[in-house]
Amino acid sequence: MTTVTTKQGDVRGYTSDEGVLVFQGIPYAAPPVGPNRFRPPQPPEPWTTPRDATRYGPTAPQEDNSGEGPLADMVPRLVIPGDDYLNLNVWTPGTTGRLPVMVFIHGGSFTSGSGSLPAYDGSRFARDGVVLVTLNYRLGADGFLWFGDGPPNLGLLDQIAALAWVRDNIGGFGGDPGNVTIFGESAGAMSVCTLLAMPAADGLFHRAIAESGAGHSTVTPATARLIGTRLAAILEVEPTREAIAEVPMERLLAAQAQLGQEVIASPSTKRWGEVARNVMPFEPVVDGDQLPATPIECIAAGAGRGVDVLIGTNSEEARLFLVPTGAAAKISTPVLHAAALRYRLPAFRAVRGYRAGRPGATPGDLLAAIVTDWYYRIPALRLAEAHEGTFVYECAWRSPAFDQTLGACHVVELPFVFDNLDNPGFAPLLGDRPPQQLADAMHQAWVDFATTGDPGWPAYRPDHRVAMRFDTDSATTVDDHGAERVLWDGRR
């Protein structure tokens, strides 16, 4: 057992079988319930006797997806009940020194996920000289509901509070508060890019890594009100935070799920605003104050200029959502053309262009490629163009799942980044023989970037579009998929 002193009190962790010090479930803010519901994160109550930090704390309220079929096997959830869920976890090689710090922000469409998933175990980062932190933050309505009054983006404010905790306390865990890298995947990556644009986060981190998410996923206040009003109607309460706070959590979670299904079933811009395009009801709100403009606009105007950035995507992100569900096999050519038009592409030219690089591709394959570019790859490249000196990567390793059809899908890079190929939670995604050399390469690039700001390849420039392509054999590329990229010029 090892004890570390924080500003709130002592915490007692343990030494893992790998010789890493682990501290779990440390509160960085007070429980967001009762009078703290729908308020910015409040300081946690101090404690006077050493606090046990040998097990994960509660996770943000969310529905369990264990019975939802094959997609749930690819992206499992962990639900630990309890109110004190604004907590974080630390892995460190020791409590002395000033090592680089990495803070991971989990994904899950801003409605699910947890920093407490065993898949995010930070032992291999600690083994390699990094202090690794994971955290939980408010999700769904509790984190992102807004009717125009009171503070918006409470989930992001939670993340900022966790980063303030890191600044104030990480030195006791052997970390350097002057060398903090935030990194996240999916909604976590969108959070990373949004934090780059938020004045309240300025100075709390020095480097940023965005995996499969960029700076375009936000909603306007008008759209936030549309979403909130419909949620209140489902719950049969007044469209106010106060009324929704009176609803039992189980009922609120069920209403959120129903709302999500309604958006998917009828993605009307008139009814749902920007949410109609990405079918993600709860997202950061551009309120003009906390978040002055969309993250990509803020970054293009100079926000985050002093922060080193690494951003990238997987080659076939959208296959995670189209293959396990069977949707890819049902896509017809007319549906493919209609989807291209919906994404503001010249339909016939775009489909012809994507087909040229994919001989024998089905309409479902082509739709997956177009959606991958629209939602993931092109926004990442736009951010790299807006932020000088950004490094770009692509993960091209193809999962063998679903008879070799799942491909280099969404989330496939995570076990390699964390070097956790042996974690049972990743087995459905990785199969029997995932390449350790890919984990060695990706994990080391993340460690190197967090340590020095250089992952090991040249930065991306509009006149020299170099990126690292991670695979069983990794190498740099220059303007890979360039003909497809050009199709999006002026459109994303």
Side-chain angles (χ1 to χ4, degrees):
M1 305 295 285
T2 300
T3 300
V4 169
T5 298
T6 75
K7 287 197 169 186
Q8 289 74 41
D10 291 350
V11 292
R12 183 176 291 149
Y14 67 95
T15 302
S16 72
D17 293 340
E18 297 186 52
V20 168
L21 295 179
V22 184
F23 301 82
Q24 297 167 310
I26 304 173
Y28 66 83
V33 298
N36 291 332
R37 186 90 179 269
F38 294 121
R39 290 182 65 197
Q42 303 298 303
E45 288 291 329
W47 52 89
T48 56
T49 58
R51 185 185 182 101
D52 178 70
T54 61
R55 60 181 61 86
Y56 287 119
T59 58
Q62 59 195 279
E63 291 195 312
D64 187 317
N65 72 337
S66 57
E68 294 180 5
L71 184 57
D73 294 335
M74 301 294 110
V75 191
R77 293 180 192 169
L78 174 68
V79 180
I80 303 175
D83 293 337
D84 204 3
Y85 64 83
L86 296 184
N87 60 63
L88 51 77
N89 314 295
V90 181
W91 289 260
T92 179
T95 58
T96 60
R98 291 175 69 84
L99 296 173
V101 179
M102 297 185 73
V103 180
F104 179 70
I105 304 173
H106 70 79
S109 301
F110 295 109
T111 57
S112 66
S114 166
S116 305
L117 277 174
Y120 303 146
D121 183 291
S123 296
R124 277 57 188 277
F125 279 106
R127 173 200 65 191
D128 295 330
V130 169
V131 178
L132 194 283
V133 179
T134 66
L135 60 96
N136 299 327
Y137 56 96
R138 276 176 279 189
L139 302 169
D142 275 58
F144 297 94
L145 178 74
W146 197 51
F147 291 104
D149 59 331
N153 299 318
L154 295 174
L156 294 168
L157 295 186
D158 293 342
Q159 295 169 16
I160 291 172
L163 290 172
W165 184 97
V166 168
R167 177 197 61 201
D168 296 340
N169 294 286
I170 206 66
F173 297 84
D176 181 0
N179 184 7
V180 175
T181 298
I182 60 173
F183 72 122
E185 184 268 344
S186 194
M190 298 167 196
S191 296
V192 164
C193 296
T194 305
L195 291 172
L196 279 167
M198 293 181 71
D202 190 38
L204 292 176
F205 58 94
H206 313 89
R207 300 189 174 102
I209 304 174
E211 305 172 26
S212 305
H216 292 69
S217 295
T218 58
V219 297
T220 62
T223 292
R225 282 190 288 271
L226 287 174
I227 295 297
T229 300
R230 178 55 191 158
L231 180 67
I234 294 171
L235 292 168
E236 299 181 330
V237 299
E238 291 297 314
T240 67
R241 279 176 163 174
E242 292 76 14
I244 287 175
E246 296 296 320
V247 175
M249 183 56 70
E250 294 78 11
R251 189 172 164 222
L252 176 58
L253 293 177
Q256 287 180 184
Q258 178 180 331
L259 174 64
Q261 291 302 314
E262 289 181 1
V263 174
I264 292 171
S266 179
S268 161
T269 302
K270 182 177 180 181
R271 189 177 184 191
W272 307 115
E274 308 90 81
V275 167
R277 298 187 70 203
N278 65 15
V279 296
M280 197 160 65
F282 296 101
E283 303 174 64
V285 182
V286 179
D287 67 311
D289 182 19
Q290 266 188 19
L291 185 55
T294 64
I296 188 64
E297 290 172 322
C298 292
I299 292 165
R305 183 178 285 118
V307 177
D308 300 324
V309 174
L310 167 62
I311 193 168
T313 57
N314 302 334
S315 300
E316 301 168 299
E317 299 267 8
R319 295 188 75 83
L320 180 68
F321 312 106
L322 295 174
V323 171
T325 61
K330 300 175 183 177
I331 302 300
S332 65
T333 298
V335 168
L336 172 63
H337 282 87
L341 285 172
R342 189 162 181 262
Y343 296 130
R344 302 174 184 170
L345 287 173
F348 289 98
R349 182 161 67 92
V351 169
R352 188 166 57 248
Y354 275 87
R355 193 183 298 281
R358 296 168 177 79
T362 67
D365 295 332
L366 298 178
L367 178 63
I370 289 172
V371 173
T372 294
D373 278 2
W374 173 73
Y375 198 49
Y376 298 101
R377 187 172 77 101
I378 298 304
L381 296 183
R382 294 291 182 258
L383 191 142
E385 293 161 358
H387 188 280
E388 185 177 357
T390 293
F391 298 91
V392 172
Y393 78 89
E394 175 186 358
C395 181
W397 184 78
R398 307 192 81 242
S399 167
F402 293 93
D403 295 326
Q404 309 288 328
T405 64
L406 191 59
C409 67
H410 197 56
V411 312
V412 80
E413 89 288 356
L414 280 171
F416 299 101
V417 167
F418 279 84
D419 192 11
N420 282 340
L421 304 187
D422 55 349
N423 187 284
F426 284 131
L429 184 70
L430 296 178
D432 296 331
R433 293 187 179 87
Q436 182 61 48
Q437 66 266 37
L438 174 55
D440 293 343
M442 289 198 81
H443 177 77
Q444 190 61 53
W446 267 235
V447 170
D448 289 346
F449 180 76
T451 304
T452 68
D454 183 354
W457 62 90
Y460 184 95
R461 302 197 316 264
D463 62 341
H464 188 56
R465 300 175 182 272
V466 65
M468 174 59 74
R469 189 174 192 267
F470 287 108
D471 204 338
T472 305
D473 296 310
S474 301
T476 56
T477 63
V478 178
D479 202 15
D480 200 16
H481 315 297
E484 294 165 9
R485 174 187 58 77
V486 170
L487 291 168
W488 296 93
D489 284 352
R491 294 183 173 85
R492 197 68 166 99

